[in-house]
């Protein structure tokens, strides 16, 4: 009888230990996830050139496809010719230093004309298709920290998508 009671107490203690460690493990994972997202946001704000552009989903050429696959409703997208025209306007704004340098305001104007992040992605896709370099990399190469902050600020204010 004493053995059975002793085994039940031991099993109960082991069970409590397992439940406690599971609880603390899950709590720590949740805290780690929150800390990770907070650090990513801080890195984006502190170093917009490398972190900000890399973390901006709208500059991903596959963002439009991802949104279209995850949303059941129809969304507003640009015509292919319009996306190509915007990509050309951005490309034409990047000039060599001896021709006056980059026309940042022209790039800002293009981004301000876009209505959502899906359209930004479409322009990024057209840019990569036509010029064989990603728009994200081109912005990193041509713009300084403040100019990139301006572009990211414009994109950040845009909605993810618009429904028809």
């Amino acid at each position: 009888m004493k053995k059975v009671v002793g085994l039940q107490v031991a099993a109960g203690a082991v069970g409590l230990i397992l439940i406690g460690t599971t609880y603390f493990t899950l709590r720590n994972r949740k805290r780690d996830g929150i800390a990770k997202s907070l650090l990513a946001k801080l890195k984006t704000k502190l170093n917009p050139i490398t972190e900000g552009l890399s973390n901006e989903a709208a500059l991903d050429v596959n963002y439009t496809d991802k949104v279209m696959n995850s949303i059941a409703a129809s969304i507003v997208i640009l015509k292919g010719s319009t996306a190509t025209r915007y990509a050309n306007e951005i490309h034409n704004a990047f000039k060599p230093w001896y021709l006056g340098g980059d026309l940042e305001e022209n790039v800002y104007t293009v981004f301000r004309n876009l209505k959502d992040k899906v359209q930004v992605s479409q322009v990024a896709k057209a840019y990569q298709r036509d010029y064989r370099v990603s728009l994200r990399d081109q912005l990193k190469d041509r713009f300084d920290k403040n100019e990139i902050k301006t572009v990211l600020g414009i994109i950040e204010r845009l909605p993810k998508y618009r429904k028809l």
Side-chain angles (χ1 to χ4, degrees):
M1 184 74 163
K2 284 187 174 182
K3 267 187 172 179
V4 173
V5 172
L7 287 174
Q8 289 176 341
V9 169
V14 169
L16 284 175
I17 290 172
L18 285 174
I19 290 171
T21 56
T22 302
Y23 169 75
F24 287 113
T25 301
L26 293 175
R27 188 180 74 172
N28 288 342
R29 283 187 188 168
K30 184 177 179 181
R31 284 183 180 173
D32 289 347
I34 292 169
K36 184 177 178 181
S37 64
L38 177 64
L39 286 174
K41 291 284 186 187
L42 284 173
K43 283 182 180 179
T44 300
K45 297 296 181 189
L46 294 175
N47 194 357
I49 293 174
T50 56
E51 297 296 331
L53 286 174
S54 299
N55 290 336
E56 181 54 59
L59 292 172
D60 180 11
V61 295
N62 298 316
Y63 179 78
T64 303
D65 298 330
K66 291 175 187 174
V67 170
M68 291 178 82
N69 290 336
S70 65
I71 304 299
S74 297
I75 61 171
V76 177
I77 59 172
L78 290 174
K79 289 182 181 178
S81 60
T82 306
T84 301
R85 181 173 52 88
Y86 282 142
N88 289 338
E89 287 179 27
I90 291 172
H91 183 74
N92 292 335
F94 297 131
K95 297 187 182 279
W97 63 270
Y98 55 85
L99 292 178
D102 298 333
L103 303 172
E104 296 86 6
E105 283 302 320
N106 292 2
V107 175
Y108 302 155
T109 301
V110 169
F111 281 107
R112 286 183 185 116
N113 288 336
L114 300 174
K115 305 296 183 209
D116 56 43
K117 292 182 180 185
V118 167
Q119 292 182 353
V120 173
S121 174
Q122 288 180 276
V123 171
K125 189 172 191 172
Y127 195 92
Q128 184 166 350
R129 181 194 65 229
D130 293 347
Y131 300 107
R132 304 284 189 253
V133 64
S134 74
L135 183 56
R136 179 180 286 146
D137 291 341
Q138 189 72 337
L139 290 172
K140 278 183 190 178
D141 290 344
R142 302 302 295 248
F143 277 5
D144 66 19
K145 183 178 179 178
N146 292 327
E147 294 163 345
I148 288 175
K149 279 184 181 179
T150 303
V151 170
L152 290 174
I154 294 168
I155 295 172
E156 197 173 274
R157 286 185 230 120
L158 297 174
K160 291 183 179 182
Y161 59 88
R162 293 178 300 142
K163 294 181 182 178
L164 283 176

